Amino acid sequence: MFQIKWAWENMAGYRKRYIMALSFVVTSSLLVFINPFITQTIVDEVLVGTAGPDGEVVRNYTILIPLLITMVLVHLFRMSMLNAGVYNCDYASQGMLVNMREHLYDRIQTQDKTYYDRYRTGDLMTRLTGDLD
């Protein structure tokens, strides 16, 4: 639990963007359910048709183009929401890494001389560069 709290504290200044990114991803995940309903309507109303009052099969071709356009627009909106979510999540995570790196630099620079005698220079550099990413 401490690690999550520490990461959340280092996300200062980027929390709103991260929450916005999560909401974009959730919204795009919920939009995935719309196109199957539209497809079902196309199949039922246009391809199969419904029985008319005289028993003849009636197919409603007038709704086909608007439903197809709606499917394309929903898909484009869903993909743009997903793209915006990924972009904002990446932006927030990179900002969090910068905050964490600055925190580690400050922490290591304020250590006393015995700290530097205990750890080798390579270990400190590895901790600051490789371990954080």
Side-chain angles (χ1 to χ4, degrees):
M1 188 68 176
F2 171 74
Q3 289 87 0
I4 295 173
K5 183 180 177 186
W6 184 71
W8 187 252
E9 288 171 0
N10 282 302
M11 201 179 275
Y14 300 98
R15 291 182 190 138
K16 289 180 184 176
R17 190 164 258 202
Y18 183 69
I19 291 170
M20 184 175 57
L22 291 179
S23 66
F24 283 167
V25 170
V26 168
T27 303
S28 68
S29 297
L30 292 175
L31 288 174
V32 98
F33 295 113
I34 294 176
N35 279 348
F37 289 121
I38 295 174
T39 304
Q40 178 185 5
T41 304
I42 290 173
V43 169
D44 291 344
E45 298 291 326
V46 178
L47 297 177
V48 176
T50 56
D54 57 353
E56 188 177 324
V57 176
V58 177
R59 291 182 176 92
N60 189 0
Y61 292 110
T62 59
I63 65 169
L64 180 61
I65 299 300
L67 287 177
L68 290 176
I69 290 172
T70 304
M71 284 180 73
V72 169
L73 290 176
V74 165
H75 182 72
L76 288 175
F77 181 69
R78 187 174 77 83
M79 288 295 116
S80 63
M81 290 288 285
L82 189 61
N83 191 18
V86 168
Y87 172 77
N88 284 317
C89 188
D90 185 53
Y91 187 86
S93 67
Q94 290 300 319
M96 183 184 81
L97 280 175
V98 167
N99 287 347
M100 291 170 83
R101 190 169 282 127
E102 287 175 357
H103 176 76
L104 282 174
Y105 285 150
D106 290 340
R107 183 77 164 217
I108 287 181
Q109 287 179 352
T110 58
Q111 297 296 323
D112 58 351
K113 186 177 185 286
T114 59
Y115 177 80
Y116 293 106
D117 290 338
R118 279 187 302 212
Y119 298 104
R120 297 179 301 183
T121 306
D123 292 338
L124 294 174
M125 292 304 294
T126 301
R127 180 164 186 198
L128 289 174
T129 57
D131 291 346
L132 185 61
D133 289 334

